[in-house]
Amino acid sequence: MRWGKKFATGTLAILMGATATGLITAAPAEAATAKYACKAYADMDSIGRPTAYSTCVKKGSGKAVRLHRVEIKCDQVQGARETVVTYTLHGPWVSPGKKSNVRCGTKNFLRGFKVQTKS
C-alpha cells in the first residue's frame, strides 16, 4: 500500500507539472476558434407570406458562433376594429454554414427580423 501511494503521488505530480508547463494541451475544435459573420434576410414567399432566414459565413474579423437562428416579428390585423397583434417566431437553431428559416402566416405583415447566436 505504501508503494501505491508513492506511485500515485509521483504520477500526479508529473501530470500536474506537464499540464502547468503546457506539454499537455487539448486541440481546439474548428468551430470554437473559427470566426463567423451572421446576417438575417427577409423576403416574401410565392403566396405573399413574410419569410426570413439567417446564415453565418466564415470571416476572420467576426465572432465565435456555435449556433444561430432567425427571429421574425409579424403583425396581424384582427377583428372588425382592425386590432394589430404583433407576434414573434423563431427558426431552428442550426450550425454555421446552414440556413435557419421561418415564415409568418398569410395576411401578416413584416415588422422586423434579426439573427440570434450562441457562442
Side-chain angles (χ1 to χ4, degrees):
M1 180 129 183
R2 187 174 170 139
W3 284 101
K5 280 185 180 180
K6 286 184 179 182
F7 178 74
T9 304
T11 304
L12 183 61
I14 291 170
L15 183 61
M16 289 178 69
T19 304
T21 59
L23 295 175
I24 299 175
T25 58
E30 183 182 336
T33 60
K35 304 286 185 179
Y36 293 91
C38 300
K39 270 186 119 173
Y41 302 89
D43 203 358
M44 301 289 271
D45 69 2
S46 61
I47 61 172
R49 295 178 292 190
T51 303
Y53 68 93
S54 65
T55 61
C56 291
V57 294
K58 245 184 204 182
K59 187 174 182 181
S61 62
K63 66 179 190 174
V65 174
R66 186 172 48 89
L67 297 170
H68 71 95
R69 73 177 178 182
V70 67
E71 175 184 283
I72 191 170
K73 291 187 183 284
C74 308
D75 282 346
Q76 185 177 51
V77 180
Q78 296 180 347
R81 295 186 186 254
E82 296 184 353
T83 304
V84 177
V85 177
T86 302
Y87 58 97
T88 304
L89 299 171
H90 296 95
W93 288 105
V94 295
S95 60
K98 296 181 181 177
K99 280 187 181 181
S100 177
N101 296 300
V102 69
R103 73 171 52 113
C104 299
T106 55
K107 298 183 182 180
N108 282 259
F109 301 96
L110 179 65
R111 160 82 49 135
F113 58 96
K114 68 179 180 179
V115 64
Q116 296 177 336
T117 60
K118 284 186 180 180
S119 301

